[in-house]
Amino acid sequence: MTLFISKKNQELLWRVINRNDAIKRMDMNFKIDWFKQTISYYYDKYEKDKLTKTEIIKINNEFIEHIKKDMKFMNEMRDKQEEEYKKLREEEIKKMKEEEEQKMRENYLVRGTNDMDRKKDELNEELIRKQDEFNDLLTKKTPEEIDFTEKNDKEEGVIKNMDELLRERQEARDIIDKETHTLYDKYVKANNLLEEEKDNEENIEIIEPS
């Protein structure tokens, strides 16, 4: 067994295994320890045997095959680790993307809610203003005392045609009434009140122009 662990034989085995590019690029300390352990394994295995040169060649071939199997095992472990790392990385990226999309959806909903609230406020204000105008128009005023005395046509405030004035006033009422109903429809849709309006139809007081 002395021939197997001789300096000459170990140098031969070292040169052979380093012909492999992957082994050649390995960390030197790791490679030396690995080489020594493998040499020790075969020394212990054949320590008590008296070996010829032919048998030493056979053991050297076993040594080389042993190194090949170790390399295959290390490559498989490396590939497995790389695959696990790749999978873990993909999961992390997917999680980060989902969190980012969730934040974007939340920000979009917040902006949408703010815009809707602003539009509701605008519709409410406009509806109130139109309703006030409509109520003012419907409010009956005490008629002023009619002065039947003759006045100059150029005098300010003279009513020449009462029928024409009443017609214009009725047209104004119709326009305001139409605008009010349009605004109210928008308000109902913006505030999701369609269903509530159906349930409360009997309680709505209908105001008709007098």
Side-chain angles (χ1 to χ4, degrees):
M1 194 59 191
T2 305
L3 290 175
F4 178 73
I5 60 173
S6 66
K7 180 179 180 182
K8 183 177 181 181
N9 191 61
Q10 289 192 58
E11 288 177 347
L12 173 64
L13 294 173
W14 180 261
R15 287 195 302 272
V16 170
I17 67 172
N18 276 280
R19 290 173 183 172
N20 182 281
D21 291 336
I23 295 177
K24 191 174 182 179
R25 292 192 300 268
M26 282 183 178
D27 176 76
M28 183 59 69
N29 291 330
F30 170 80
K31 185 164 55 175
I32 290 174
D33 289 341
W34 176 33
F35 181 81
K36 287 181 178 180
Q37 289 174 8
T38 311
I39 290 288
S40 296
Y41 171 80
Y42 284 97
Y43 177 80
D44 293 339
K45 183 178 180 180
Y46 295 105
E47 180 181 7
K48 297 179 181 180
D49 297 340
K50 293 182 179 180
L51 305 174
T52 64
K53 289 184 178 180
T54 302
E55 291 172 330
I56 290 296
I57 294 173
K58 181 180 178 182
I59 296 173
N60 283 349
N61 289 331
E62 287 184 34
F63 177 92
I64 298 301
E65 290 299 319
H66 187 112
I67 293 295
K68 288 181 179 179
K69 289 180 180 179
D70 284 352
M71 279 295 299
K72 181 180 179 181
F73 174 78
M74 286 187 287
N75 288 335
E76 289 174 351
M77 289 297 297
R78 181 197 62 201
D79 293 342
K80 183 178 179 181
Q81 290 176 347
E82 289 179 352
E83 185 65 25
E84 290 177 352
Y85 174 79
K86 181 180 178 181
K87 183 178 179 180
L88 180 62
R89 183 60 180 165
E90 289 175 350
E91 290 176 353
E92 290 177 352
I93 293 174
K94 182 180 179 181
K95 183 178 179 181
M96 291 174 61
K97 185 180 292 186
E98 289 175 350
E99 291 176 352
E100 185 66 23
E101 290 176 351
Q102 180 64 24
K103 289 181 180 179
M104 292 176 64
R105 284 194 295 268
E106 290 174 355
N107 292 335
Y108 176 79
L109 290 175
V110 170
R111 290 196 300 269
T113 301
N114 292 337
D115 291 342
M116 184 173 289
D117 290 340
R118 188 182 69 255
K119 291 179 180 179
K120 287 180 180 179
D121 292 340
E122 292 175 355
L123 282 173
N124 289 339
E125 292 175 1
E126 189 170 0
L127 180 63
I128 291 172
R129 182 176 61 81
K130 289 295 184 181
Q131 187 65 48
D132 289 341
E133 293 178 358
F134 185 67
N135 291 338
D136 290 341
L137 190 61
L138 295 177
T139 301
K140 293 183 179 180
K141 298 181 180 180
T142 303
E144 298 179 359
E145 184 178 353
I146 300 176
D147 185 0
F148 292 98
T149 59
E150 293 184 2
K151 295 183 178 179
N152 192 310
D153 289 342
K154 294 181 180 181
E155 183 179 349
E156 185 177 356
V158 173
I159 300 176
K160 294 183 178 180
N161 192 330
M162 183 62 69
D163 291 337
E164 181 66 20
L165 179 60
L166 292 175
R167 185 184 64 78
E168 291 176 355
R169 192 166 188 179
Q170 184 60 46
E171 289 178 353
R173 288 182 181 180
D174 293 341
I175 292 173
I176 292 176
D177 184 56
K178 183 177 180 180
E179 291 179 354
T180 301
H181 279 80
T182 300
L183 287 171
Y184 181 74
D185 289 340
K186 291 181 181 180
Y187 172 78
V188 168
K189 292 178 181 179
N191 290 273
N192 297 322
L193 298 178
L194 290 176
E195 295 299 327
E196 295 180 10
E197 184 176 345
K198 290 179 180 179
D199 295 336
N200 298 323
E201 281 182 351
E202 295 180 358
N203 298 325
I204 297 176
E205 181 181 357
I206 300 176
I207 303 176
E208 297 182 353
S210 58

